[in-house]
Amino acid sequence: MPLWLMKSEPETWSWDQQVSKGTEAWTGVRNHQAAGFLKAMQVGDRCFFYHSNTGKAVVGIVTVVRGAYPDPTDPAGRFVCVDVAADRPLPFPVPLARIKEQPELSAMMLLKQARLSVMPVTGPEWDVVCRMGGCQALRERAPG
DNA sequence: GCCAACGTTGGC
DNA sequence: GCCAACGTTGGC
């Protein structure tokens, strides 16, 4: 069961906006490694929603509601996007600083590849972050 | 505001 | 095909 993390600058697209809108196309990824992860996503997969730059915290969970399709914002038509829907907030957002303090999270791709905007999260990492965020650790795929 | 990491571009 | 220059991301 794949689990993911997606980054967004809150000035560009925030968790609050995601909650207000419900479902949103996750466009603008222009990195081939990140695009590969988008292509691997399946409907129902869960993703952490991470605020980069001014936020620097995992703030919520979204679910994939449409698998990879051509990104309408890419004029060349080479990159893909997915649609995600807000699932639930983390009652206590988990800051990057706290992730760095956790020995169990020391191998997270978030820490290893700072510039990657879409990445997989392991099951144990998922559970630890959920626990830190005061959220039930739902790993299983969301119902359709 | 600075800088490290790193992907891309372009000259050779 | 190499590599320097440059642009972008994102933490600090």
Side-chain angles (χ1 to χ4, degrees):
Chain A
M1 163 83 256
L3 298 156
W4 312 96
L5 182 146
M6 305 170 103
K7 291 182 183 177
S8 183
E9 297 183 36
E11 290 83 0
T12 305
W13 183 251
S14 70
W15 171 252
D16 286 346
Q17 287 173 290
Q18 180 75 50
V19 169
S20 299
K21 185 145 182 218
T23 296
E24 175 74 355
W26 202 273
T27 57
V29 171
R30 296 292 181 271
N31 171 282
H32 291 290
Q33 192 182 4
F37 293 135
L38 288 179
K39 287 177 187 169
M41 289 182 182
Q42 297 183 45
V43 171
D45 282 3
R46 297 179 191 277
C47 315
F48 284 134
F49 191 113
Y50 176 85
H51 277 166
S52 60
N53 286 320
T54 56
K56 281 180 291 184
V58 179
V59 293
I61 295 173
V62 295
T63 57
V64 177
V65 295
R66 182 180 174 188
Y69 61 98
D71 182 342
T73 71
D74 176 20
R78 284 189 295 247
F79 288 95
V80 296
C81 63
V82 299
D83 289 356
V84 297
D87 178 11
R88 69 196 66 198
L90 294 193
F92 308 100
V94 180
L96 180 64
R98 291 204 57 218
I99 290 173
K100 287 187 168 180
E101 289 167 5
Q102 280 289 327
E104 294 163 283
L105 301 178
S106 62
M108 272 190 92
M109 226 181 265
L110 181 67
L111 305 181
K112 300 292 177 186
Q113 283 178 259
R115 291 181 54 192
L116 192 60
S117 63
V118 180
M119 66 193 79
V121 174
T122 69
E125 290 165 353
W126 181 269
D127 291 349
V128 170
V129 174
C130 285
R131 195 192 320 132
M132 293 167 80
C135 192
Q136 190 185 353
L138 292 169
R139 283 194 200 177
E140 70 277 10
R141 188 164 283 141

